[in-house]
Amino acid sequence: MRHKGPLKQFDEFDAWSFSRLGESIRSEDVTFEFPRLADDENILVSAVEHWEISGRINAKSESVLRFKGRFNAELSCVVCGSGVPYAIDFDRHLILMTSESQADNYDEDTLNDETDVVACPGAINLRDWLEDEILLACPMFPKHEACAEEAGRSWREEGADLEDTDDHQDDTADGPIQEVQRPFANLSDLLKGSKK
């Protein structure tokens, strides 16, 4: 399916008909700009390598959109702030519902990790949906391997320092055992006394 017309046609896109007709669109056919990818301060560099959007009707007669593709990015390391290179693949299936209540009441136990249910009461902005899927595919806490190891080492050392403080009591030590206070331990005796 080749789209040579203006990209404006994707601003109010009929996802229902697209799914019903089993259509598909590829990056070879359409060039989208992704402004949120470019403006995200945590994404230092990004280049969408390829993508494909396809529609179908599943075995339950539900309309489904599939967003699939790959992009390369440098994401800001949460430890040191410099770029971490990633090649990220995404492959998501969105089952369309006509309302938020229908989407909320869908039995999510029947879904796999690559499938979600979304409300689609009317026309959608197809590029925005594709950009959402690209952004969702980014790791939440990008780190260099060396930074992850350093962060883990620091965390372990901090834990060791806490164990060495006076406030920390080792139950296996040979020192005196502190008696545990039980606030309701004498309650039964008090109740017996009140009945006399």
Side-chain angles (χ1 to χ4, degrees), residues 8-194:
K8 205 166 185 181
Q9 63 183 306
F10 299 112
D11 291 348
E12 294 187 4
F13 188 76
D14 186 349
W16 294 94
S17 295
F18 183 78
S19 301
R20 192 168 56 250
L21 295 171
E23 301 266 29
S24 67
I25 304 170
R26 295 176 179 82
S27 50
E28 294 85 356
D29 306 328
V30 177
T31 301
F32 282 143
E33 300 294 329
F34 299 107
R36 283 181 290 156
L37 271 180
D39 293 342
D40 193 310
E41 61 184 15
N42 297 314
I43 302 175
L44 307 179
V45 178
S46 67
V48 179
E49 194 173 306
H50 62 83
W51 55 262
E52 179 182 354
I53 304 169
S54 57
R56 65 183 172 89
I57 301 295
N58 67 12
K60 296 180 181 178
S61 299
E62 297 164 331
S63 291
V64 182
L65 285 187
R66 182 184 187 185
F67 294 85
K68 180 181 178 182
R70 166 177 277 230
F71 69 103
N72 301 302
E74 272 194 31
L75 307 180
S76 177
C77 174
V78 294
V79 178
C80 72
S82 63
V84 188
Y86 283 93
I88 302 170
D89 295 306
F90 59 95
D91 189 355
R92 293 259 293 161
H93 303 252
L94 301 181
I95 299 173
L96 308 182
M97 293 285 120
T98 55
S99 67
E100 290 284 355
S101 60
Q102 272 191 328
D104 290 342
N105 292 326
Y106 198 92
D107 183 7
E108 293 188 358
D109 292 337
T110 63
L111 304 176
N112 58 35
D113 291 341
E114 291 79 35
T115 306
D116 205 352
V117 180
V118 294
C120 182
I124 62 167
N125 185 308
L126 192 64
R127 187 214 57 201
D128 284 356
W129 270 32
L130 175 58
E131 194 170 27
D132 286 345
E133 294 308 316
I134 293 171
L135 289 166
L136 285 170
C138 293
M140 290 184 69
F141 303 106
K143 291 188 283 281
H144 298 99
E145 283 186 24
C147 290
E149 289 173 10
E150 182 62 33
R153 191 161 36 252
S154 299
W155 180 81
R156 285 193 298 273
E157 287 170 0
E158 286 175 10
D161 291 343
L162 285 173
E163 289 179 4
D164 291 338
T165 61
D166 293 336
D167 294 337
H168 180 79
Q169 182 178 353
D170 188 353
D171 293 338
T172 61
D174 294 333
I177 298 172
Q178 184 178 353
E179 186 177 340
V180 178
Q181 297 295 319
R182 293 184 174 83
F184 300 110
N186 299 324
L187 184 60
S188 61
D189 294 337
L190 291 171
L191 289 172
K192 287 177 187 173
S194 66

